[in-house]
Amino acid sequence: MIKTYLKQLKENSTGIGSYFDMIWCTIRYGASPNNYKNFGFKELNSAQRATYVTNGLSRKIIKTFNDPAYIDIFEDKTEFAKRFSDYFGRTWISTEHLTYDAFLKFLDGKEKFIYKPVGNAQGKGIHIFDNLKNPKKVYDEIQGLPGKAILEEWIVQHEQLNAVYDKAINCLRIITFCKGDSVKFLAGGVTWGNGKQIANVCTSGIVSPVDFESGILKKPAADFSGRVYKTHPITNANLVGIKVPYWNEIKIMLKNAAKEVPQVRYIGWDVAITPDGPILIEGNTTPGYRYYQIPAHMENKCGNRRVYESCLRE
């Protein structure tokens, strides 16, 4: 951890002043050097800095509310598919002990599927198989990939999201906090694919924050480079004013799903929207906080800390 911190200090420092300011922000606000850079702390005063969810607060919430004994339900994608089968909405099969006959049965009627290593995050190790003319060749390729994985039916995306970008599933990430029968929505937005088959902000994706009351994307999309997008950079489709399809159904689904594992109360849900309604892609027990505090989206340069700290007070 110290080695990672020092590496971030070196990478993000622009001089002796910023070097020591980053250290001070770690002590005072729990902000990592990456937080300092991503949230534009150099340009913020102390009152504004204090409004951001930082690495320190995120770790504290995870430690307080997510019991490590139950984390595998979410981190192992096959376990997640079993536990949340009512919300999963697609066929799947594990590669563990996968026979060729079982693989052929899974393939029946499919033109495309996705391979996901069970324990990886941020899109690492994912493969998309869309040439299925030689099933045995595909099966052998899968068998040659390391570790345990899940094969999932490719999701058919709602036409409204497809019209913006159809090369990837433009997924909705909503972060929830659960206390008994009460479920709070802390942050969320749509991640749009941008030149790749996977919509992931860690690569090229861009984010549009969602208004929880209306389900409308009221602000332009943005990324941490400072770029703002009123239209999609590839398709030129409008990104402002979109009403997320099935918004009420999404909220109902997440309020129910958030209560499934009461030992894990702080979750980031990835949601796909199909023509027939929303389904869960996965749940994350380290749900992230950076992409819902992109400077271009923050009112008066203030972050979301107040919303998150209300969970700790409860």
Side-chain angles (χ1 to χ4, degrees):
M1 188 179 295
I2 294 175
K3 187 177 180 181
T4 301
Y5 182 83
L6 292 175
K7 181 182 177 184
Q8 288 185 19
L9 269 179
K10 183 178 179 181
E11 290 174 347
N12 294 316
S13 174
T14 56
I16 193 70
S18 67
Y19 186 90
F20 284 107
D21 195 27
M22 277 187 265
I23 294 174
W24 163 245
C25 285
T26 300
I27 297 168
R28 177 65 181 85
Y29 309 108
S32 68
N34 281 351
N35 290 163
Y36 184 95
K37 177 185 177 182
N38 289 333
F39 301 148
F41 268 28
K42 184 179 180 180
E43 310 300 327
L44 303 181
N45 59 39
S46 57
Q48 290 166 330
R49 289 174 171 183
T51 66
Y52 278 80
V53 180
T54 60
N55 182 60
L57 179 60
S58 175
R59 289 165 61 88
K60 183 177 181 181
I61 293 176
I62 291 166
K63 184 177 180 180
T64 304
F65 297 115
N66 291 352
D67 187 336
Y70 294 85
I71 295 302
D72 252 9
I73 296 172
F74 296 86
E75 292 193 352
D76 185 318
K77 291 178 172 57
T78 55
E79 291 302 313
F80 182 84
K82 293 175 189 174
R83 186 59 177 263
F84 292 90
S85 59
D86 289 345
Y87 317 99
F88 205 66
R90 59 201 181 278
T91 58
W92 64 275
I93 193 169
S94 171
T95 61
E96 191 173 31
H97 311 304
L98 179 65
T99 66
Y100 183 56
D101 286 344
F103 177 67
L104 287 178
K105 187 176 180 181
F106 168 75
L107 276 192
D108 188 35
K110 295 180 177 63
E111 297 180 356
K112 188 176 184 179
F113 70 87
I114 188 167
Y115 170 103
K116 298 178 181 178
V118 295
N120 288 9
Q122 298 181 343
K124 294 177 182 177
I126 286 179
H127 296 270
I128 295 169
F129 290 89
D130 54 7
N131 184 354
L132 308 180
K133 292 179 180 179
N134 187 338
K136 185 63 169 64
K137 182 180 179 181
V138 176
Y139 174 77
D140 289 342
E141 184 176 346
I142 289 169
Q143 293 295 85
L145 293 171
K148 181 182 171 186
I150 184 173
L151 312 182
E152 296 178 10
E153 175 184 1
W154 186 257
I155 296 167
V156 177
Q157 183 168 236
H158 192 283
E159 58 271 16
Q160 189 175 344
L161 301 182
N162 241 15
V164 176
Y165 185 77
D166 65 358
K167 300 296 187 295
I169 301 303
N170 305 298
C171 70
L172 193 65
R173 166 67 69 93
I174 302 291
I175 300 173
T176 62
F177 174 76
C178 180
K179 182 184 180 184
D181 285 332
S182 172
V183 176
K184 284 189 175 182
F185 295 92
L186 302 185
V190 176
T191 300
W192 302 103
N194 181 21
K196 297 183 181 294
Q197 286 187 292
I198 303 295
N200 191 300
V201 216
C202 296
T203 53
S204 62
I206 56 178
V207 177
S208 295
V210 62
D211 177 76
F212 286 137
E213 290 299 317
S214 65
I216 295 174
L217 309 180
K218 295 183 176 181
K219 298 178 180 179
D223 59 28
F224 274 120
S225 70
R227 290 186 290 261
V228 174
Y229 306 86
K230 292 184 179 179
T231 59
H232 193 280
I234 293 176
T235 66
N236 206 36
N238 177 51
L239 293 176
V240 182
I242 295 173
K243 172 69 182 288
V244 175
Y246 293 110
W247 180 243
N248 288 333
E249 289 82 355
I250 290 168
K251 290 197 290 185
I252 292 169
M253 178 182 72
L254 293 183
K255 284 179 179 179
N256 290 330
K259 301 172 190 175
E260 285 281 337
V261 186
Q263 297 85 358
V264 180
R265 298 165 58 187
Y266 174 54
I267 305 170
W269 304 97
D270 287 344
V271 178
I273 307 171
T274 77
D276 300 317
I279 60 174
L280 290 181
I281 298 176
E282 62 185 33
N284 300 271
T285 58
T286 53
Y289 54 92
R290 294 188 299 138
Y291 300 108
Y292 308 103
Q293 296 182 121
I294 293 176
H297 293 150
M298 298 295 95
E299 302 286 345
N300 301 315
K301 298 184 178 181
C302 292
N304 293 333
R305 192 178 185 102
R306 177 181 55 82
V307 178
Y308 279 64
E309 283 188 328
S310 69
C311 300
L312 288 174
R313 286 196 297 272
E314 292 179 3

